[in-house]
Amino acid sequence: WVYLPNVHLEPAWLARLGLMLESKAERHEKHPDFRLWLMADPRGPLPPRLLERSIKVACEAPMGLKASLLTAIQTDPLNDEMFFGGCPQRDIEWKTALYRLLPCHGTIFERAAHGAIGWTLPYDFSSL
């Protein structure tokens, strides 16, 4: 398995990768267990032929602070008991830091979605 993040930053290389994968598939030289995970900005220049041969997965950011907090708590690694309770000597400090950082992260993430004006205009989630 291969994971390549931010492939939209190298469109010329991505086109060559698409041609290489296509030629390997035509010559039946691919391994049955081979998997290629590409992470890209959907607005980036992605080769159409590569997209046609791919399974696409989109991850939408949660809307609002409450949804952001719920998503963070219900997904890995925070929903894993070994991770969440992995520091018994500092349990209170760890949970306090986590519950202070999650709302901060959610607020920053929500504000960043509005671009430059996200930091100057009040929104309904600011009245916490």
Side-chain angles (χ1 to χ4, degrees), residues 58-105:
C59 298
E60 296 291 328
M63 295 297 292
L65 184 58
K66 183 178 179 181
S68 177
L69 291 173
L70 287 173
T71 301
I73 291 170
Q74 294 172 349
T75 56
D76 282 335
L78 294 183
N79 68 346
D80 182 12
E81 190 62 37
M82 287 291 292
F83 177 82
F84 199 79
C87 190
Q89 306 90 319
R90 300 250 185 197
D91 192 47
I92 293 173
E93 293 92 343
W94 163 240
K95 289 179 181 178
T96 302
L98 183 67
Y99 285 115
R100 287 182 180 170
L101 286 173
L102 284 178
C104 181
H105 175 266

Coordinates of all heavy atoms in Angstrom, one line a residue, residues 58-105:
A58 N -14.8 11.6 -0.3 CA -14.8 13.0 0.1 C -15.1 13.1 1.6 O -16.0 12.4 2.1 CB -15.8 13.9 -0.7
C59 N -14.3 13.9 2.3 CA -14.5 14.1 3.7 C -14.9 15.5 3.9 O -14.1 16.4 3.7 CB -13.3 13.8 4.5 SG -12.7 12.1 4.4
E60 N -16.2 15.7 4.3 CA -16.7 17.1 4.5 C -16.4 17.5 6.0 O -16.7 16.6 6.9 CB -18.2 17.1 4.3 CG -18.5 16.9 2.8 CD -18.1 18.0 1.9 OE1 -18.1 19.2 2.4 OE2 -17.7 17.7 0.7
A61 N -16.0 18.7 6.2 CA -15.8 19.2 7.5 C -17.2 19.4 8.2 O -18.1 19.8 7.6 CB -15.0 20.5 7.5
P62 N -17.2 19.1 9.5 CA -18.5 19.3 10.2 C -18.9 20.8 10.3 O -18.0 21.7 10.3 CB -18.2 18.8 11.6 CG -16.8 18.7 11.8 CD -16.2 18.6 10.4
M63 N -20.1 21.1 10.3 CA -20.6 22.5 10.3 C -20.9 22.9 11.8 O -21.8 22.2 12.4 CB -21.9 22.7 9.5 CG -21.6 22.4 8.0 SD -20.5 23.6 7.3 CE -21.4 25.1 7.4
G64 N -20.3 23.9 12.3 CA -20.5 24.4 13.6 C -19.6 23.8 14.7 O -19.0 22.7 14.5
L65 N -19.6 24.5 15.8 CA -18.7 24.1 16.9 C -19.1 22.8 17.5 O -18.3 21.9 17.8 CB -18.6 25.2 17.9 CG -17.7 25.0 19.1 CD1 -16.3 24.7 18.6 CD2 -17.7 26.2 20.0
K66 N -20.4 22.6 17.7 CA -21.0 21.4 18.4 C -20.6 20.2 17.5 O -20.2 19.1 18.0 CB -22.5 21.5 18.6 CG -23.0 20.3 19.3 CD -24.5 20.5 19.6 CE -25.1 19.3 20.3 NZ -26.6 19.5 20.5
A67 N -20.9 20.3 16.2 CA -20.6 19.1 15.3 C -19.1 18.8 15.3 O -18.7 17.7 15.2 CB -21.1 19.4 13.9
S68 N -18.3 19.9 15.3 CA -16.8 19.7 15.3 C -16.4 18.9 16.6 O -15.5 18.0 16.5 CB -16.1 21.0 15.2 OG -14.7 20.9 15.3
L69 N -16.9 19.3 17.7 CA -16.6 18.6 19.0 C -17.0 17.2 19.0 O -16.3 16.3 19.4 CB -17.2 19.4 20.2 CG -16.6 20.8 20.5 CD1 -17.5 21.4 21.6 CD2 -15.2 20.6 20.9
L70 N -18.3 16.9 18.5 CA -18.8 15.6 18.5 C -17.9 14.7 17.5 O -17.6 13.6 17.8 CB -20.2 15.6 18.1 CG -21.2 16.0 19.1 CD1 -22.6 16.1 18.5 CD2 -21.2 15.1 20.3
T71 N -17.6 15.2 16.4 CA -16.8 14.5 15.4 C -15.4 14.2 16.0 O -14.9 13.1 15.9 CB -16.6 15.3 14.1 OG1 -17.9 15.6 13.6 CG2 -15.8 14.5 13.1
A72 N -14.8 15.1 16.7 CA -13.5 14.9 17.3 C -13.5 13.9 18.4 O -12.6 13.0 18.4 CB -12.9 16.2 17.8
I73 N -14.5 13.9 19.2 CA -14.6 12.9 20.3 C -15.0 11.5 19.8 O -14.6 10.5 20.4 CB -15.6 13.4 21.3 CG1 -15.1 14.7 22.0 CG2 -16.0 12.4 22.4 CD1 -16.0 15.4 22.9
Q74 N -15.8 11.4 18.7 CA -16.3 10.1 18.3 C -15.4 9.4 17.3 O -15.7 8.3 16.8 CB -17.7 10.3 17.7 CG -18.7 10.7 18.7 CD -20.0 11.0 18.1 OE1 -20.2 11.2 16.9 NE2 -21.0 11.2 18.9
T75 N -14.3 10.0 16.9 CA -13.4 9.4 15.9 C -12.0 9.1 16.5 O -11.7 9.5 17.6 CB -13.2 10.3 14.7 OG1 -12.7 11.6 15.1 CG2 -14.5 10.5 13.9
D76 N -11.3 8.3 15.8 CA -9.9 7.9 16.2 C -9.1 9.1 16.3 O -9.2 10.0 15.5 CB -9.3 6.9 15.3 CG -9.8 5.5 15.5 OD1 -10.2 5.2 16.6 OD2 -9.7 4.7 14.5
P77 N -8.2 9.3 17.2 CA -7.8 8.3 18.3 C -8.6 8.5 19.6 O -8.5 7.8 20.5 CB -6.4 8.5 18.5 CG -6.2 10.0 18.2 CD -7.2 10.3 17.1
L78 N -9.4 9.6 19.6 CA -10.0 9.9 20.9 C -11.1 8.9 21.4 O -11.4 8.8 22.6 CB -10.7 11.3 20.9 CG -9.7 12.5 20.7 CD1 -10.4 13.8 20.7 CD2 -8.6 12.4 21.8
N79 N -11.7 8.2 20.5 CA -12.7 7.2 20.9 C -12.0 5.8 21.3 O -12.7 4.9 21.7 CB -13.7 6.9 19.8 CG -13.2 6.3 18.6 OD1 -11.9 6.2 18.4 ND2 -14.0 5.8 17.7
D80 N -10.7 5.8 21.2 CA -10.0 4.6 21.6 C -9.6 4.7 23.1 O -9.0 5.6 23.5 CB -8.7 4.4 20.7 CG -7.9 3.2 21.1 OD1 -8.5 2.3 21.8 OD2 -6.8 3.1 20.6
E81 N -10.1 3.7 23.9 CA -9.8 3.7 25.3 C -8.4 3.7 25.7 O -7.9 4.3 26.6 CB -10.6 2.5 26.0 CG -10.6 2.6 27.5 CD -11.3 3.8 28.0 OE1 -12.3 4.2 27.5 OE2 -10.8 4.4 29.0
M82 N -7.6 3.0 24.9 CA -6.1 2.9 25.1 C -5.5 4.3 24.9 O -4.6 4.7 25.7 CB -5.4 1.9 24.2 CG -5.7 0.5 24.5 SD -5.0 0.0 26.0 CE -3.3 0.0 25.6
F83 N -5.9 5.1 23.9 CA -5.4 6.4 23.7 C -5.9 7.3 24.8 O -5.1 8.1 25.4 CB -5.8 6.9 22.3 CG -5.3 8.3 22.1 CD1 -4.0 8.5 21.6 CD2 -6.1 9.4 22.2 CE1 -3.6 9.8 21.4 CE2 -5.7 10.7 22.0 CZ -4.4 10.9 21.6
F84 N -7.2 7.3 25.0 CA -7.8 8.3 25.9 C -7.3 8.1 27.4 O -7.1 9.0 28.1 CB -9.3 8.3 25.8 CG -9.9 9.5 26.4 CD1 -10.0 10.6 25.6 CD2 -10.5 9.5 27.6 CE1 -10.6 11.8 26.1 CE2 -11.1 10.6 28.2 CZ -11.1 11.8 27.4
G85 N -7.2 6.8 27.8 CA -6.8 6.5 29.1 C -5.3 6.1 29.2 O -4.9 5.4 30.2
G86 N -4.5 6.4 28.3 CA -3.2 5.9 28.2 C -2.1 6.6 29.1 O -1.0 6.2 29.1
C87 N -2.5 7.5 29.9 CA -1.6 8.2 30.8 C -2.2 8.3 32.1 O -2.6 9.4 32.6 CB -1.3 9.6 30.2 SG 0.1 10.4 31.0
P88 N -2.3 7.2 32.9 CA -3.0 7.2 34.2 C -2.4 8.1 35.2 O -3.1 8.6 36.1 CB -2.9 5.7 34.6 CG -2.0 5.0 33.8 CD -1.8 5.9 32.5
Q89 N -1.0 8.4 35.1 CA -0.4 9.2 36.1 C -0.9 10.7 35.9 O -0.8 11.5 36.9 CB 1.1 9.2 36.0 CG 1.7 7.8 36.1 CD 1.9 7.2 34.7 OE1 1.0 7.3 33.9 NE2 3.0 6.5 34.5
R90 N -1.2 11.1 34.7 CA -1.6 12.4 34.4 C -3.0 12.5 33.9 O -3.3 13.3 33.0 CB -0.6 13.0 33.4 CG 0.8 13.0 33.8 CD 1.2 14.4 34.1 NE 2.6 14.5 34.4 CZ 3.0 15.6 34.9 NH1 2.2 16.6 35.2 NH2 4.3 15.7 35.2
D91 N -3.9 11.7 34.4 CA -5.2 11.6 33.8 C -6.0 12.9 33.9 O -6.6 13.3 32.9 CB -6.0 10.5 34.5 CG -7.3 10.1 33.9 OD1 -7.3 9.9 32.6 OD2 -8.3 10.0 34.5
I92 N -6.0 13.6 35.0 CA -6.7 14.8 35.1 C -6.2 15.9 34.2 O -6.9 16.6 33.6 CB -6.8 15.2 36.6 CG1 -7.6 14.2 37.4 CG2 -7.3 16.7 36.7 CD1 -7.6 14.5 38.9
E93 N -4.8 16.0 34.2 CA -4.2 17.0 33.4 C -4.5 16.8 31.9 O -4.7 17.7 31.1 CB -2.7 17.1 33.6 CG -2.3 17.6 35.0 CD -2.1 16.4 36.0 OE1 -2.6 15.3 35.7 OE2 -1.5 16.7 37.0
W94 N -4.4 15.5 31.5 CA -4.6 15.1 30.1 C -6.0 15.5 29.7 O -6.3 16.1 28.6 CB -4.3 13.6 29.9 CG -4.8 13.0 28.7 CD1 -5.7 12.0 28.6 CD2 -4.5 13.3 27.3 NE1 -6.0 11.6 27.3 CE2 -5.2 12.4 26.5 CE3 -3.7 14.3 26.7 CZ2 -5.2 12.5 25.1 CZ3 -3.6 14.3 25.4 CH2 -4.3 13.4 24.6
K95 N -7.0 15.1 30.5 CA -8.4 15.3 30.1 C -8.7 16.8 30.1 O -9.5 17.3 29.3 CB -9.4 14.5 31.0 CG -9.3 13.1 30.7 CD -10.2 12.3 31.7 CE -10.1 10.8 31.3 NZ -10.9 10.0 32.2
T96 N -8.1 17.5 31.1 CA -8.4 19.0 31.1 C -7.8 19.7 29.9 O -8.4 20.5 29.3 CB -7.7 19.6 32.4 OG1 -8.3 18.9 33.5 CG2 -7.9 21.1 32.5
A97 N -6.6 19.3 29.5 CA -5.9 19.9 28.3 C -6.7 19.5 27.1 O -7.0 20.4 26.2 CB -4.5 19.4 28.2
L98 N -7.2 18.3 27.0 CA -8.0 17.9 25.8 C -9.3 18.7 25.7 O -9.6 19.2 24.6 CB -8.3 16.4 25.9 CG -9.0 15.8 24.7 CD1 -8.1 15.8 23.5 CD2 -9.4 14.4 25.0
Y99 N -10.0 18.8 26.8 CA -11.3 19.5 26.7 C -11.1 21.0 26.6 O -12.1 21.7 26.3 CB -12.1 19.1 28.0 CG -12.7 17.7 27.8 CD1 -12.4 16.7 28.7 CD2 -13.6 17.4 26.8 CE1 -12.9 15.4 28.5 CE2 -14.1 16.2 26.6 CZ -13.8 15.2 27.5 OH -14.3 13.9 27.3
R100 N -9.9 21.5 26.8 CA -9.7 22.9 26.6 C -9.3 23.1 25.1 O -9.5 24.2 24.5 CB -8.7 23.5 27.5 CG -9.2 23.6 28.9 CD -8.2 24.2 29.8 NE -8.8 24.4 31.2 CZ -8.1 24.7 32.2 NH1 -6.8 24.9 32.1 NH2 -8.7 24.8 33.4
L101 N -8.5 22.2 24.6 CA -8.0 22.3 23.2 C -9.1 22.0 22.1 O -9.1 22.7 21.1 CB -6.8 21.4 23.0 CG -5.5 21.9 23.6 CD1 -4.5 20.8 23.5 CD2 -5.1 23.2 23.1
L102 N -10.0 21.1 22.4 CA -11.0 20.7 21.4 C -11.9 21.9 21.0 O -12.1 22.2 19.8 CB -11.8 19.5 21.8 CG -11.1 18.2 21.7 CD1 -12.0 17.1 22.3 CD2 -10.7 17.9 20.3
P103 N -12.4 22.7 22.0 CA -13.2 23.9 21.6 C -12.4 24.9 20.8 O -12.9 25.5 19.9 CB -13.8 24.4 22.9 CG -13.7 23.3 23.8 CD -12.6 22.4 23.4
C104 N -11.2 25.1 21.3 CA -10.3 26.0 20.6 C -10.1 25.6 19.1 O -10.2 26.4 18.2 CB -9.0 26.1 21.3 SG -7.8 27.3 20.6
H105 N -9.8 24.3 18.9 CA -9.5 23.8 17.6 C -10.8 24.0 16.8 O -10.8 24.4 15.6 CB -9.1 22.3 17.7 CG -9.0 21.7 16.3 ND1 -10.1 21.0 15.8 CD2 -8.0 21.6 15.5 CE1 -9.7 20.5 14.6 NE2 -8.5 20.9 14.4

